[in-house]
């Protein structure tokens, strides 16, 4: 818990420092050069106050932190709504995406990694490895653009962007609509995620298949199928699970870019908007929430390890 | 005496590794060559050699579990037929069993009991295992534990237990007893002896000549990946009945014979001399020793030395 608080503190300080030293002038960025020129000094002064220009950064940070501990994340300057509310809406949008991508990449990645690692250098291994390497080194936004072109522009089977149909009232949006709009971004995220998980799982699988205990299982006449089922799976599953929960951070990172490309109004996109628009309260809010997720993922990974791995679970009871 | 059936006959066996050094330069390491071993029914043959002489590789070669970058040469005959990779696959774990050298050969995440039973849950295997464990002073609870929860000596006994589950015709025990107490060593050895007396062939791999002499019928001496001598255990009672200078040197290094060690070390594969690998350390070494040396029958044993 202490670690978590420390982490949150440092992450928010870092984010805050970055916005403070950013060369973007919030007034120019949000009001516009031309409009600014047409304003009176008074108006400008008022705006400056609204955007917090001129107040020493340290003071601003502690003001924010103080509110935060009282449970108030402040008002978003851009959306003119409480930060909690903005994040709430965006988070739900993003969670859809990320949950689908996370599960898909975890399951598919694990299976591909196992298949690939059973026999290093086999045809299957070379195909899976080659595919994963190519995908892993492809930028997510580029992949997003390609998918967008193929499915939305050429084939016209899926919508181009946004999380709901344009021009439909919020109450008229169906679950089907939501799913349809989340498919492309989710697939993009999954494809990138799968490659990573596959490569890591494969690596571990090869290590296990070369281990002495697999050699001994072979010497005792166990078939490859039984070796995989009885020995390899359980030995690879442990590190794979940790990786899976730790990969939440990567999915988070990837979603920023992907949401941008698909103009999907999720947390990632909001972060970009907040960053570019100097919406400090919103940016800090998002940063903290993301950190909580990433930290939570790692924490779950560690706890799971303790539950599943007998060496840790039972390790303590050994006299 | 009735001629006993040959269980295992290894002729001119060799193992070499392909290695890539500094990029694409490929080198071949001939780790084992000119290796000959025979094991008869009901016989316990000890393979004695120092560390790195290729004992484990011999064991793995017989079972067909050498690493992928290893190439095998020569012939292995089992039960009168050539031991092909297909037969190896069929026989290992049933007729041919291995007691591996280290406890790293146990799956760290599988409970001892089901690991020894290879996941089988039938009454017969359970009863059998219970009986084996009783003999080795292992409590029944041990079956529900993981290898990390056991002491080194207990894990050793677990490894030995795996070999006793079936009715093997050939047991290959790769240094099965380090870390065990003297009386537990005796017990393990007596079990191997029992298997041999019931008609199996036992190949006991060890670097401990004393232990080998206590239980084995014959001793095969390894030096730098080559068999230099094949002698009856009784031949080791006196230096004179031994044939190879290296065997004699081993004899002199026994505690009861004065602990006299010869100088030098076993050569590394890449620095092997031509001909006899023992040449550089041998007081009888002559020009002849640098040529191919035949494995000859001498006084009921075999030796790879021109001076014997
Ligand atoms: N995968 C490998 N690649 C290259 N060389 C190897 C490989 N495995 C073993 N060797 C070499 O083969 C030689 C024989 O190894 P082996 O394990 O059979 O020795 P050993 O007689 O069993 O020794 P010990 O008593 O220490 O168990 C060693 O010199 C080792 O360096
Ligand atoms: Mg060895």
């Amino acid at each position: 818990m202490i670690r978590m608080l420390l982490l949150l503190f440092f992450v928010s300080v870092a984010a805050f420092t970055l916005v403070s030293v950013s060369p973007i002038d919030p007034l120019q960025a949000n009001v516009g050069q031309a409009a600014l020129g047409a304003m009176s000094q008074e108006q400008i002064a008022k705006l400056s106050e609204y955007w917090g220009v001129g107040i020493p950064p340290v003071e601003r940070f502690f003001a924010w932190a103080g509110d935060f501990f009282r449970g108030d994340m402040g008002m978003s300057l851009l959306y003119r709504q409480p930060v909690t509310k903005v994040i709430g809406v965006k988070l739900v949008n993003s969670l859809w995406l990320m949950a689908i991508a996370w599960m898909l990449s975890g399951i598919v990645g694990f299976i591909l990694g196992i298949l690939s690692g059973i026999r290093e250098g086999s045809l299957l291994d070379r195909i899976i490895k080659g595919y994963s390497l190519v995908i892993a080194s492809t930028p997510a936004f580029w992949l997003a653009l390609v998918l967008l072109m193929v499915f939305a522009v050429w084939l016209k089977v899926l919508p181009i962007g946004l999380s709901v149909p344009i021009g439909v009232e919020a109450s008229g949006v169906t679950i089907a609509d939501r799913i349809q709009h989340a498919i492309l971004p989710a697939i993009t995220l999954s494809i990138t995620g799968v490659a990573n998980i596959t490569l890591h799982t494969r690596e571990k699988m090869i290590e296990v298949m070369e281990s002495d205990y697999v050699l001994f299982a072979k010497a005792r006449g166990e078939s490859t199928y039984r070796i995989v089922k009885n020995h390899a799976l359980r030995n690879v599953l442990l590190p794979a699970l940790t990786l899976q929960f730790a990969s939440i951070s990567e999915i988070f990172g990837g979603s920023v870019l992907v949401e941008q490309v698909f103009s999907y109004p999720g947390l990632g996109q909001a972060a970009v908007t907040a960053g570019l628009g100097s919406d400090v309260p919103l940016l800090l809010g998002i940063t903290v929430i993301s950190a909580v997720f990433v930290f939570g993922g790692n924490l779950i990974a560690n706890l799971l390890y303790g539950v599943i791995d007998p060496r840790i679970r039972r390790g303590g009871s050994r006299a | 005496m009735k001629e006993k059936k040959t269980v295992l006959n290894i002729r001119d066996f060799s193992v070499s590794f392909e290695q890539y050094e500094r990029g694409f330069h490929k080198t071949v390491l001939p780790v084992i060559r000119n290796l000959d071993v025979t094991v008869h029914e009901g016989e316990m043959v000890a393979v004695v050699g120092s560390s790195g002489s290729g004992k484990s590789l011999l064991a793995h070669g017989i079972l067909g579990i050498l690493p992928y970058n290893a190439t095998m040469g020569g012939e292995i005959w089992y039960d009168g037929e050539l031991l092909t990779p297909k037969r190896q696959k069929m026989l290992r774990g049933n007729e041919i069993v291995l007691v591996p050298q280290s406890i790293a050969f146990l799956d760290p995440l599988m409970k001892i009991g089901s690991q020894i039973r290879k996941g089988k849950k039938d009454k017969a295997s359970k009863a059998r295992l219970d009986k084996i464990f009783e003999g080795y002073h292992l409590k029944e609870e041990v079956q529900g534990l993981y290898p990390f929860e056991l002491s080194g000596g207990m894990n050793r006994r677990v490894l030995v237990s795996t070999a006793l589950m079936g009715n093997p015709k050939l047991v290959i025990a790769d240094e099965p007893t380090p870390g065990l107490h003297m009386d537990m060593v005796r017990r393990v050895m007596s079990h191997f002896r029992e298997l041999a007396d019931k008609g199996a062939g036992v190949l006991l791999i060890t670097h401990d000549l004393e232990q080998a002499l206590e239980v084995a019928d014959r001793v095969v001496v390894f030096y730098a990946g080559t068999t230099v001598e094949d002698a009856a255990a009784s031949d080791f009672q006196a230096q004179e009945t031994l044939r190879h200078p290296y065997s004699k040197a081993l004899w002199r290094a026994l505690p009861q014979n004065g602990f006299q060690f010869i100088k030098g070390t076993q050569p590394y594969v890449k620095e092997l001399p031509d001909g006899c690998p023992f040449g550089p350390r041998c007081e009888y070494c002559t020009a002849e020793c640098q040529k191919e040396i035949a494995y000859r029958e001498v006084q009921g044993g075999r030796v790879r030395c021109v001076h014997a």
Side-chain angles (χ1 to χ4, degrees):
Chain A
M1 205 55 209
I2 304 269
R3 287 218 337 254
M4 168 106 199
L5 288 178
L6 270 180
L7 175 85
L8 289 185
F9 177 73
F10 283 116
V11 165
S12 51
V13 168
F16 190 82
T17 316
L18 283 179
V19 215
S20 303
V21 300
S22 131
I24 298 174
D25 175 359
L27 289 194
Q28 285 198 12
N30 294 300
V31 185
Q33 185 78 51
L36 215 53
M39 282 181 190
S40 68
Q41 278 302 324
E42 258 167 65
Q43 279 173 313
I44 292 181
K46 230 169 138 186
L47 276 173
S48 298
E49 198 196 318
Y50 180 72
W51 291 99
V53 179
I55 304 173
V58 179
E59 200 176 304
R60 275 171 76 193
F61 178 74
F62 281 107
W64 173 84
D67 285 344
F68 183 83
F69 274 107
R70 262 172 268 127
D72 176 10
M73 293 173 87
M75 294 286 284
S76 161
L77 304 177
L78 285 171
Y79 293 87
R80 293 180 183 273
Q81 276 176 346
V83 166
T84 24
K85 206 169 156 198
V86 179
I87 290 182
V89 174
K90 306 285 178 188
L91 189 61
V92 172
N93 283 342
S94 282
L95 278 185
W96 272 94
L97 261 192
M98 293 193 286
I100 296 173
W102 186 67
M103 302 227 286
L104 264 184
S105 59
I107 295 168
V108 177
F110 184 73
I111 295 174
L112 287 182
I114 293 283
L115 288 178
S116 187
I118 288 179
R119 211 143 50 85
E120 188 184 6
S122 66
L123 184 64
L124 186 67
D125 176 41
R126 291 209 299 269
I127 293 173
I128 294 178
K129 183 185 160 199
Y131 167 81
S132 304
L133 279 178
V134 169
I135 295 295
S137 48
T138 307
F141 74 88
W142 189 83
L143 190 69
L145 284 176
V146 171
L147 288 176
L148 198 62
M149 296 259 282
V150 174
F151 289 99
V153 180
W154 291 343
L155 300 176
K156 293 196 172 40
V157 288
L158 291 168
I160 289 188
L162 306 176
S163 71
V164 292
I166 301 171
V168 176
E169 268 194 53
S171 54
V173 177
T174 59
I175 289 275
D177 281 332
R178 280 190 175 275
I179 292 178
Q180 217 187 14
H181 282 261
I183 289 180
L184 271 190
I187 287 183
T188 312
L189 269 183
S190 313
I191 291 179
T192 342
V194 165
N196 271 324
I197 303 263
T198 303
L199 288 175
H200 276 107
T201 309
R202 171 181 178 273
E203 198 79 355
K204 188 69 203 171
M205 182 70 180
I206 290 174
E207 197 187 307
V208 167
M209 290 306 279
E210 281 175 357
S211 71
D212 284 341
Y213 53 87
V214 165
L215 193 72
F216 186 42
K218 221 163 139 188
R220 298 180 75 201
E222 294 187 43
S223 62
T224 306
Y225 168 76
R226 299 218 21 202
I227 288 176
V228 171
K229 182 170 151 269
N230 289 343
H231 304 289
L233 278 185
R234 60 179 92 201
N235 278 286
V236 176
L237 193 61
L238 278 178
L241 266 180
T242 326
L243 182 70
Q244 176 66 5
F245 279 93
S247 78
I248 289 181
S249 59
E250 272 172 50
I251 296 263
F252 245 97
S255 75
V256 174
L257 289 172
V258 170
E259 287 180 6
Q260 202 58 28
V261 174
F262 289 101
S263 348
Y264 187 89
L267 211 57
Q269 206 202 22
V272 174
T273 320
L276 293 178
S278 296
D279 189 343
V280 179
L282 181 57
L283 186 67
L284 287 178
I286 292 176
T287 312
V288 169
I289 291 290
S290 314
V292 169
F293 264 86
V294 172
F295 186 84
N298 287 323
L299 190 71
I300 293 176
N302 281 334
L303 292 179
L304 266 184
Y305 225 107
V307 175
I308 300 177
D309 191 336
R311 283 166 297 193
I312 299 178
R313 173 164 38 99
R314 291 197 184 177
S317 64
R318 191 179 166 185
Chain B
M1 201 173 103
K2 197 180 114 215
E3 186 76 358
K4 277 197 175 143
K5 234 174 90 187
T6 309
V7 180
L8 182 74
N9 184 5
I10 299 176
R11 294 182 203 156
D12 202 23
F13 179 74
S14 66
V15 173
S16 51
F17 285 101
E18 269 184 20
Q19 278 188 333
Y20 289 89
E21 277 182 358
R22 277 178 250 112
F24 297 101
H25 183 69
K26 194 168 95 177
T27 52
V28 176
L29 279 181
V31 181
I32 293 184
R33 71 239 151 289
N34 301 336
L35 191 151
D36 295 82
V37 177
T38 312
V39 182
H40 298 98
E41 259 181 8
E43 190 179 40
M44 195 158 169
V45 177
V47 169
V48 178
S50 56
S51 193
S53 55
K55 305 183 298 291
S56 293
L57 290 177
L58 165 67
H60 293 186
I62 299 169
L63 287 152
I65 53 167
L66 287 172
Y68 66 95
N69 63 334
T71 318
M72 244 168 67
E75 288 175 356
I76 302 179
W77 292 74
Y78 171 77
D79 208 8
E81 273 178 70
L82 207 57
L83 191 57
T84 57
K86 205 176 136 204
R87 280 187 83 212
Q88 280 173 331
K89 262 193 186 162
M90 232 168 57
L91 297 173
R92 64 192 178 202
N94 307 316
E95 285 189 24
I96 310 181
V97 298
L98 170 73
V99 178
Q101 183 172 9
S102 112
I103 52 184
F105 286 79
L106 290 174
D107 184 339
L109 295 182
M110 198 170 182
K111 287 187 184 160
I112 297 293
S114 59
Q115 191 154 184
I116 299 179
R117 285 182 267 110
K118 286 193 258 183
K120 282 196 208 119
K121 292 194 183 90
D122 56 292
K123 274 224 172 80
S125 350
K126 279 191 174 158
R128 178 135 206 172
L129 181 55
D130 288 345
K131 202 159 157 258
I132 296 172
F133 265 34
E134 221 180 279
Y136 283 149
H137 299 314
L138 290 167
K139 293 207 191 83
E140 209 184 316
E141 296 102 82
V142 171
Q143 296 187 29
L145 299 179
Y146 293 93
F148 81 94
E149 294 173 294
L150 271 54
S151 70
M154 287 161 95
N155 274 322
R156 276 281 160 210
R157 283 173 268 167
V158 167
L159 286 177
V160 175
S161 304
T162 62
L164 305 175
M165 284 299 285
N167 293 306
K169 285 198 184 157
L170 176 62
V171 180
I172 303 164
D174 192 356
E175 311 217 16
T177 55
L180 291 183
H181 287 294
M182 229 17 242
D183 41 335
M184 200 40 85
V185 171
R186 291 225 177 79
R187 188 175 298 242
V188 168
M189 286 302 152
S190 75
H191 283 140
F192 288 143
R193 190 66 254 181
E194 241 170 67
L195 285 173
D197 293 343
K198 276 194 259 167
V202 178
L203 193 67
L204 172 70
I205 292 173
T206 175
H207 57 247
D208 184 350
L209 179 60
E210 251 188 302
Q211 184 191 55
L213 292 178
E214 254 178 51
V215 285
D217 303 303
R218 267 189 312 123
V219 175
V220 174
V221 182
F222 260 37
Y223 187 78
T226 305
T227 38
V228 294
E229 173 158 0
D230 183 337
S234 54
D235 292 348
F236 277 85
Q237 276 162 11
Q239 196 176 173
E240 291 68 41
T241 40
L242 292 171
R243 301 157 189 85
H244 197 279
Y246 180 60
S247 317
K248 293 181 196 222
L250 285 180
W251 183 90
R252 286 195 300 271
L254 288 174
Q256 65 269 32
N257 303 328
F259 266 134
Q260 309 161 57
F261 292 95
I262 45 161
K263 281 201 214 77
T265 49
Q266 181 176 269
Y268 181 56
V269 203
K270 281 187 199 160
E271 287 124 33
L272 270 187
D274 287 335
C276 180
F278 188 62
R281 293 167 82 186
C282 182
E283 51 186 316
Y284 307 104
C285 187
T286 56
E288 258 183 301
C289 297
Q290 273 139 47
K291 295 182 200 131
E292 271 296 300
I293 297 160
Y295 206 31
R296 297 182 293 134
E297 299 258 349
V298 175
Q299 297 159 19
R302 287 197 288 176
V303 65
R304 202 182 297 281
C305 177
V306 290
H307 302 294

